[in-house]
Amino acid sequence: MSTKISSGAALTGSLQTIYTVPTHKDADWVLLYITNTSGSNGTVTVNYYDASASTSLPILSGYAISSKDFFQIGGEINKFIYMKDGDYIQASSTQSMTILVSVIEHNSHR
């Protein structure tokens, strides 16, 4: 059985966890959507944490988003990042921004 989940947050200057794959689940990360809601240009950082390797991998590192603009990765059919239990997504920004992450969770077969 699979469950579709979206998780969002208002980003700040500190990395914050946006979504974590629950225990005994796997997830397909299908969409990342970030909006710069401020009146100034800013940068965003998005990291993927691989729990099995205890490693944080940068997805976006200081990526510039203009004031009132947005950035999107994914959303198309059959495009996703496979995540395992304990993996998580973190993000931060230099200006007021919002983030939306959509995943599809599945029961783990490990």
Side-chain angles (χ1 to χ4, degrees):
M1 178 175 180
S2 39
T3 305
K4 296 177 183 177
I5 296 173
S6 290
S7 181
L11 296 179
T12 65
S14 299
L15 278 174
Q16 58 185 303
T17 301
I18 309 303
Y19 170 78
T20 303
V21 181
T23 304
H24 305 300
K25 297 280 185 179
D26 295 326
D28 299 332
W29 178 9
V30 296
L31 177 70
L32 168 70
Y33 191 88
I34 302 169
T35 303
N36 182 341
T37 57
S38 77
S40 302
N41 297 341
T43 61
V44 66
T45 296
V46 177
N47 293 333
Y48 168 79
Y49 182 79
D50 179 350
S52 66
S54 299
T55 302
S56 185
L57 306 166
I59 301 297
L60 297 172
S61 183
Y63 185 83
I65 301 178
S66 300
S67 172
K68 308 300 182 193
D69 205 355
F70 69 92
F71 178 78
Q72 177 181 330
I73 297 176
E76 298 88 14
I77 193 163
N78 294 324
K79 290 190 178 182
F80 58 89
I81 295 173
Y82 178 72
M83 301 175 71
K84 295 176 274 187
D85 60 347
D87 292 355
Y88 57 82
I89 301 162
Q90 288 186 314
S92 65
S93 64
T94 59
Q95 298 294 330
S96 295
M97 297 191 196
T98 57
I99 186 170
L100 177 66
V101 170
S102 292
V103 300
I104 301 171
E105 288 182 353
H106 311 274
N107 290 328
S108 177
H109 297 288
R110 287 176 269 135

